[in-house]
Amino acid sequence: MGTAPPSSSPTQELDPLDDSITRNNRRKALQFKASHALLIIFFLWIFALHALGIYFFTKGFLLTRQVLNHKSDCASPPIDLPRASPRSYGAGCWYPKTFDKAVVIIIDALRYDFTVPTNDTTHHFHNALDVLHETAVQQPETAFLLPFIADAPTATLQRLKGLTTGTLPAFVDVGSNFAGTAIEEDNLVAQLRDAAKTLVHLGDDTWHSLFPGHFDPNLTHAYDSFNVWDLHTVDNGVTEHLLPLLHSEAKHWDVIFGHYLGVDHAGHRYGPDHIAMNEKLKQMDRTLRDIIAALDDKTLLIVMGDHGMDTKGDHGGESDDEVEAALWMYSKKAIFGHGHNSLLEPPRTAKERPVSQIDLVPTLALLLGLPIPFNNLGSPISEAFVGPKKPDWEKLASVNALCAAQIQRYQHAYSAARGLDNEVFSAANILWTVALEMWQGAKQKTAPNAESLAAFVRYQAENLRVCRSLWASFDVPSMIYGILVLGCTLAILGYYARATTPFRAEDSPLFVRLIAIYAAMGLALGLSFRLTGISLGTLDISLLGTAGGSIVGFAYTILEIPSGYPLPAPNTTLGWLSLLLTVLQAIGFASNSFTIWEDEILLMFLATFGFISLAASIRQPGIKDRVLGMIQSSVFLVCTRIASLSRLCREEQMPYCRSTYYSSATSSTSASWQLVIPFALAILLPSFVKGYYKGTRSYVGSAVLWIGVGLRMSLLASAIYWFLDAADDNNWISVNEDILRLVKTSIAQLVLGISLVAGTTYYIWATPCISIETPSEQKNGNVDTKQPKKPKNMAVFGYSNMHGSRYFFLVTNYLMAIILLQKPMGGGSIGLLALQILALLEIIDCNNLSRSAIGPVVLAMLGNFHFFKTGHQATLSSIQWETAFIALKTIRYPWSPLLVILNTYGAQIITAVAVPLTVLWKQPPKKKGLLGDVAMAVGTFLLYHAAVNLATTMWAGWLRRHLMLYRIFSPRFMTGAVALLVVDLVGIVVAVGGFRWNVVSVSEVFGWA
């Protein structure tokens, strides 16, 4: 039986053409995926260069001091006293001991003004903790209260280091506040252990990170320290175990360290001016009265704050409120006095008669008969040694002589270890010689007196000044290496992203290959230099060689490309505006006033763009583009202005700034009226987004489900979360706290799961937002499926914005997650940011600016602007640590830090995700060169952030001796550095990576371009 020839079948006649189309599509798909992968590699190289530059600069800029491993010995006092030192732990090592036991209570974040009574009853933190001031006034021979000044950074871990070693912490150590490492240098706790004392710790588990194995395991009870939502567990646990130890007849302990966290947590959660703070301070008052009643005559009681808190309840910086803590000492023996100054009453403010926190170390060591730790720089507190009646100048001079002699011993060892010139401590050495002569003369005549005491005090003050200046020294070569790497990377990004000839995907293999080859050559060259004895370590020289070689490889690639990449230069008014705004901002960071008022400067820049885009839209020839451009420019300006109403003022902006982000300037909770914002957002934002989709007839298919249902339900759940949070804070509903907490975390986890897990899955598999209708469907609303006919034409609704409408799903995923993680005012700001992004996209389309730098640059400025509008500043104290517990009950790595990052840099993250939209919005499905356009847009976006980071880096290095370095310039550098690394990763992984799935989805329907 014969078969029909192939030509007799219409289907078979089309097979060769179909096969050709299929093979062509496969070839183009493979080419796109290969080019995309190489683009990812290129941007990862940019990220590595940024990280390397920041590493080298930070390594030279934020130095830690050199730690000496010397230890003070009980049998070797640094100076001979008129009366022989006991030189035994039983009687006292360097000086006869006063107490056998001690109870050291740390009330975390106990600010000095919390302890001083006042007639002002407007603040909740006043007149709640009375016992310290009361006993100091009524029994000045048994108690004294003084301001206790902390050194920045005011983070708990760094403060504990200072309180136990007597040294000054380095600024960079603040990063270890979440991962403390054991203190290896000489310290009070180690000296107590060497004296065979039984040590007990109760409370904050940070102590166990610093002093592992030092505390009695049977008596010690540690608690998680970072759950700022929990005000009571730690405090109740400390009191529960402390009082029985004090009441026990057989006291199997020598020193107890009790670290209460409730006051600190109340500050972080509510701010100091909240009823919860009042209740917590009253609880501390009752607890301290119970402790006083249980003490015996041989036990010293010390109560102190490790730092204070600012007006919002946060800390970490060096403002007055953050460094002004309280110190109170009590003993039932009448041994304290005020004869050296005749001032019996405690100071009214922290500006009067303050003592440094490092002064506690020699004071406590001598009172307990211990050697003063070797690295100590503090001085004995006079009230503890001057005596209860007539001033005992001999005792006061003796303890200061011991302390000064130990400091002199440390000074010699430190100078030898660092190889310091004799001139460094010349002034201090002169003062030491004078003090020693006066001491010797006083010993020969009668006894040491007030004059010899003053001489030792002057020496200690001068030595401390010199040490502060030494530890503020910088490794300038390392800083220069970092700046050079960052500068070269900026030039690479500028050339790559803004060259007149756009990026071509076919050039990617050449870029990557030559960069890799020259990086390997640079590594080999660097290691060869290491063999010559260069001072840089092997790791550093390897990193520098690799980076330098790869940079040379990029430069050589430009010469190898036949058509070349002409030098970048703007060719439109708005293109020049993007360059001008970036340069002006970079230059402005040289001024502390500019840095302080950066939020207002960004407002002005964004308003400038809005007005210029409005003028440009008016000049458009097409009536549709003209009207739409004018409307969207107006929307952009209005949203910018409304967003500017959300403010969190930094200390330096006062009194010219009024905070609106929280319910008041002294609170960290939202006002009741602000709870309307998330509910309004749930109602309005999806409708506004829907309106933009309908403008291109894209609100069909998957958009209806994700925008109309997913986004709205997620925002509604976030609004419910913040309502329950406010109800919990203000006791609006009588529900068990644990149940309410479970409900809140469940809602938060649901929102995060929908947005980041389900949302990402939906984005990958979603079909384009299109609807296809034939003429019969358009007229009759139905089609005859029994007799299908190939229509002559069809209507594809959503065709003109197929790429943009689908990619925006990815932006909504991060919108949902980040709005949840912001306070209600911050969520409103992020909602306005979403509208500004959409308005910006329409402005770009109306003015044909998809290839211009203005889109990515304005997006980057929007991210920085809304960083400030979401309750943040370039200060450590503005970090909203409580965000780590929105979806979690306890600290869990890496999720807790990730939540804090999403909260802090949420605006920059959203704008980084949105960057591809500047070239995808209202683009047809088969437009050629989209990968290159996206590469240029992402490169331009990173270029802006790299310019800001380089500027803050350079100015921080140049102004390293500026008075405001650690208050203004250094925090801004760190903020910019972290922001750059975050947007690098998000831009590469989410934006460029997500663009691939968008192209794949569209191309599966319409074929590959």
Side-chain angles (χ1 to χ4, degrees), residues 11-79:
T11 303
Q12 289 179 345
E13 287 179 359
L14 296 175
D15 280 348
L17 180 59
D18 288 344
D19 288 343
S20 175
I21 293 173
T22 302
R23 286 195 301 271
N24 191 43
N25 273 328
R26 287 176 180 173
R27 179 183 59 80
K28 290 181 177 180
L30 184 61
Q31 184 181 30
F32 169 81
K33 292 175 181 178
S35 297
H36 180 271
L38 292 172
L39 181 62
I40 292 284
I41 294 172
F42 175 81
F43 277 121
L44 285 174
W45 171 63
I46 294 293
F47 167 75
L49 289 179
H50 282 153
L52 189 63
I54 292 169
Y55 161 74
F56 274 105
F57 182 83
T58 303
K59 184 171 176 285
F61 181 66
L62 299 177
L63 290 176
T64 56
R65 62 185 174 83
Q66 182 171 350
V67 175
L68 302 183
N69 293 323
H70 300 62
K71 289 198 68 175
S72 295
D73 182 57
C74 183
S76 304
I79 195 172

Side-chain angles (χ1 to χ4, degrees), residues 663-722:
S663 59
S664 70
T666 57
S667 173
S668 58
T669 59
S670 299
S672 299
W673 68 266
Q674 292 174 338
L675 296 177
V676 175
I677 296 174
F679 286 99
L681 208 60
I683 296 170
L684 298 176
L685 184 57
S687 299
F688 287 138
V689 175
K690 176 181 175 181
Y692 280 95
Y693 270 66
K694 282 196 169 184
T696 55
R697 297 195 172 188
S698 301
Y699 193 69
V700 292
S702 50
V704 176
L705 175 62
W706 198 242
I707 303 297
V709 179
L711 177 60
R712 194 181 300 277
M713 291 299 101
S714 174
L715 293 177
L716 182 61
S718 297
I720 294 172
Y721 173 90
W722 286 109

Side-chain angles (χ1 to χ4, degrees), residues 165-177:
T165 63
T167 58
L168 305 175
F171 195 87
V172 72
D173 284 348
V174 73
S176 61
N177 198 46

